[in-house]
């Protein structure tokens, strides 16, 4: 079991100003900035909102810890599998969990040379002084619908359907 | 959608920082233990009424009632004989009153369409985002990602 509490790096609580609010648009912009930078393959900009100690779990379940590790890994990926990828943010949901923390959930579609992928990226954000930063992000890819299953897997489904029909037949 | 009222609520009571860390660290183990008993009310007892859950297939469930009802259905089919093991957990405080927990898991014994138990062993990471509400801690969001074998 690992405890990694933000001891030394815990942000100072910002001074409260009467009527002060962090505009929700600042949180909303996190996935939009991420996608714009992703599409420029500007990995440093894509993860600019991430904390130095941020965690990232990608769609393949690979775990990365620390801004430097996350960026380095994605630089490599953008030279290979994501070299021609195009990311679109379809929908963003915001949720404040406490005064200084929030959840930003972004539904995405990605075009790659292998086809279209969809998923959900969860950003866990913390308020640091006058800005929000991402302390953790986790990505999950949607399982493809039957209609979108590639040809070779479609054959497998057809086989299962035929088998079931044979079992149900009198 | 489930019509029966919520029950088996054993939310964490926060007394001190140390105790809070201990309580939050137990969350994935409590979840797995209830999961393996197929007791969905207990598995999601620590979830907020408006919590969101994204499963490994990217399916999103909103609210405690939908999360428990959908998982109760799944535990009558594909999860009927499965065993969930928590391999490792990592806790991070976001602020003094919010945190997230990463739980690495292994799952065995999924049931396929015709009802046969599969030999496949799955691995993944589940994140729980928790925040204090008064004297209790609640899960506001959980998201699951399967680890792809390479």
């Amino acid at each position: 079991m690992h405890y990694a509490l933000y001891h030394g790096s815990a942000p100072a609580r910002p001074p409260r100003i009467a009527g002060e609010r962090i505009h929700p648009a600042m949180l909303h912009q996190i996935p939009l900035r991420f996608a714009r930078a992703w599409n420029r393959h500007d990995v440093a900009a894509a993860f600019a909102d991430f904390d130095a100690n941020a965690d990232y779990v990608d769609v393949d379940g690979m775990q990365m810890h620390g801004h430097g590790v996350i960026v380095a890994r994605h630089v490599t990926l953008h030279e290979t599998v994501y070299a021609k990828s195009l990311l679109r943010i379809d929908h963003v949901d915001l949720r404040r969990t406490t005064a200084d923390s929030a959840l930003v959930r972004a539904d995405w579609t990605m075009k790659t040379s292998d086809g279209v992928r969809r998923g959900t990226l969860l950003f866990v954000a913390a308020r640091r002084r006058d800005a929000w930063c991402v302390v953790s992000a986790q990505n999950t890819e949607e399982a493809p619908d039957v209609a979108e299953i590639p040809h070779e897997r479609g054959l497998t489904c057809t086989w299962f359907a035929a088998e079931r029909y044979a079992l149900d037949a009198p | 959608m489930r019509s029966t009222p919520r029950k088996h609520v054993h939310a964490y009571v926060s007394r001190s920082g140390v105790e809070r860390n201990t309580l939050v660290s137990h969350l994935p183990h409590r979840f797995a233990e209830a999961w393996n008993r197929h007791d969905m009310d207990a598995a999601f007892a620590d979830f907020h009424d408006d919590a969101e859950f994204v499963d490994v297939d990217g399916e999103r469930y909103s609210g405690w009632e939908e999360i428990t009802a959908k998982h109760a259905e799944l535990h009558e089919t594909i999860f009927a004989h499965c065993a969930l093991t928590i391999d490792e957990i990592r806790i991070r405080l976001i602020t003094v009153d919010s945190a997230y927990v990463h739980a690495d898991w292994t799952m065995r014994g999924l049931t396929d369409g015709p009802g046969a138990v599969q030999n496949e062993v799955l691995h993944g990471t589940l994140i729980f985002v928790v925040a204090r509400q008064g004297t209790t801690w609640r899960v506001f969001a959980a998201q699951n990602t399967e680890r792809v074998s390479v």
Side-chain angles (χ1 to χ4, degrees), chain B residues 24-72:
Chain B
V24 173
S25 72
H26 287 166
L27 195 154
H29 298 291
R30 287 154 53 103
F31 177 81
E33 187 269 332
W35 179 280
N36 292 334
R37 283 189 285 111
H38 308 289
D39 183 347
M40 293 300 101
D41 284 350
F44 295 100
D46 297 304
F47 280 56
H48 190 274
D49 284 345
D50 297 323
E52 290 216 320
F53 188 95
V54 174
D55 71 12
V56 287
D57 290 332
E59 192 85 27
R60 187 193 296 195
Y61 310 121
S62 298
W64 182 87
E65 288 194 0
E66 185 179 24
I67 294 167
T68 51
K70 293 287 187 185
H71 279 86

Side-chain angles (χ1 to χ4, degrees), chain A residues 2 6 55 63 65 93 105, chain B residues 60 92-93 100 104 143:
Chain A
H2 295 298
Y6 282 107
D55 286 303
Q63 299 170 16
H65 175 68
D93 274 334
R105 195 182 292 285
Chain B
R60 187 193 296 195
R92 284 179 184 275
L93 279 186
Y100 63 90
D104 294 340
Q143 182 156 332

Side-chain angles (χ1 to χ4, degrees), chain A residues 2-4 6 55 58 60 63 65 93 95 101 103 105 107 120 122 124 135-136 138-140 142-143, chain B residues 50 52 54-55 57 60 88-94 98 100 104 125 127 140 143-145 147-148:
Chain A
H2 295 298
Y3 289 91
Y6 282 107
D55 286 303
D58 72 10
D60 293 330
Q63 299 170 16
H65 175 68
D93 274 334
R95 174 99 188 245
S101 63
L103 301 171
R105 195 182 292 285
D107 295 336
T120 297
L122 173 67
V124 181
V135 294
S136 183
Q138 180 150 341
N139 210 351
T140 304
E142 275 183 26
Chain B
D50 297 323
E52 290 216 320
V54 174
D55 71 12
D57 290 332
R60 187 193 296 195
E88 185 176 333
I89 68 169
R90 296 174 297 279
I91 303 170
R92 284 179 184 275
L93 279 186
I94 304 168
S98 62
Y100 63 90
D104 294 340
T125 300
I127 183 174
F140 279 76
Q143 182 156 332
N144 211 350
T145 305
R147 191 155 64 243
V148 176

Side-chain angles (χ1 to χ4, degrees), chain A residues 151-165:
Chain A
H151 180 64
E152 62 272 22
R153 292 181 65 185
L155 288 175
T156 307
C157 287
T158 305
W159 182 80
F160 272 119
E163 180 190 54
R164 189 168 300 170
Y165 175 78

Side-chain angles (χ1 to χ4, degrees), chain B residues 53-127:
Chain B
F53 188 95
V54 174
D55 71 12
V56 287
D57 290 332
E59 192 85 27
R60 187 193 296 195
Y61 310 121
S62 298
W64 182 87
E65 288 194 0
E66 185 179 24
I67 294 167
T68 51
K70 293 287 187 185
H71 279 86
E73 289 175 16
L74 294 171
H75 276 259
E76 291 174 356
T77 53
I78 60 168
F79 295 138
H81 302 286
C82 79
L84 179 66
T85 308
I86 302 299
D87 303 318
E88 185 176 333
I89 68 169
R90 296 174 297 279
I91 303 170
R92 284 179 184 275
L93 279 186
I94 304 168
T95 61
V96 69
D97 49 7
S98 62
Y100 63 90
V101 186
H102 275 132
D104 294 340
W105 53 262
T106 299
M107 185 178 282
R108 295 178 172 84
L110 283 177
T111 307
D112 67 13
V117 177
Q118 299 174 326
N119 292 324
E120 192 177 12
V121 179
L122 305 178
H123 301 278
T125 300
L126 180 56
I127 183 174

Side-chain angles (χ1 to χ4, degrees), chain A:
Chain A
M1 188 186 303
H2 295 298
Y3 289 91
L5 310 180
Y6 282 107
H7 281 312
S9 59
R13 200 175 184 86
R16 294 290 181 194
I17 301 169
E20 177 210 35
R21 288 185 187 277
I22 295 267
H23 198 280
M26 291 180 69
L27 284 165
H28 194 268
Q29 284 297 315
I30 289 174
L32 303 181
R33 271 199 300 269
F34 179 81
R36 279 196 291 267
W38 181 284
N39 293 336
R40 294 195 312 269
H41 306 289
D42 184 348
V43 175
F47 293 97
D49 289 325
F50 280 56
D51 184 80
N53 290 315
D55 286 303
Y56 188 86
V57 177
D58 72 10
V59 286
D60 293 330
M62 182 169 182
Q63 299 170 16
M64 290 157 256
H65 175 68
H67 181 268
V69 174
I70 297 168
V71 169
R73 172 68 180 157
H74 280 83
V75 165
T76 305
L77 291 171
H78 276 263
E79 290 170 351
T80 53
V81 291
Y82 294 135
K84 294 182 178 176
S85 67
L86 199 59
L87 180 65
R88 185 183 74 195
I89 301 300
D90 301 316
H91 184 74
V92 177
D93 274 334
L94 302 180
R95 174 99 188 245
R96 290 288 284 273
T97 44
T98 65
D100 295 330
S101 63
L103 301 171
V104 184
R105 195 182 292 285
D107 295 336
W108 54 264
T109 300
M110 182 185 284
K111 279 186 182 176
T112 68
S113 51
D114 294 331
V116 176
R117 306 166 70 174
R118 291 187 180 82
T120 297
L121 180 53
L122 173 67
F123 298 92
V124 181
R127 187 180 170 189
R128 303 285 165 92
R129 300 183 188 281
D130 57 348
W132 290 93
C133 75
V134 176
V135 294
S136 183
Q138 180 150 341
N139 210 351
T140 304
E141 186 171 357
E142 275 183 26
D145 294 330
V146 172
E148 296 173 344
I149 288 176
H151 180 64
E152 62 272 22
R153 292 181 65 185
L155 288 175
T156 307
C157 287
T158 305
W159 182 80
F160 272 119
E163 180 190 54
R164 189 168 300 170
Y165 175 78
L167 289 173
D168 292 344

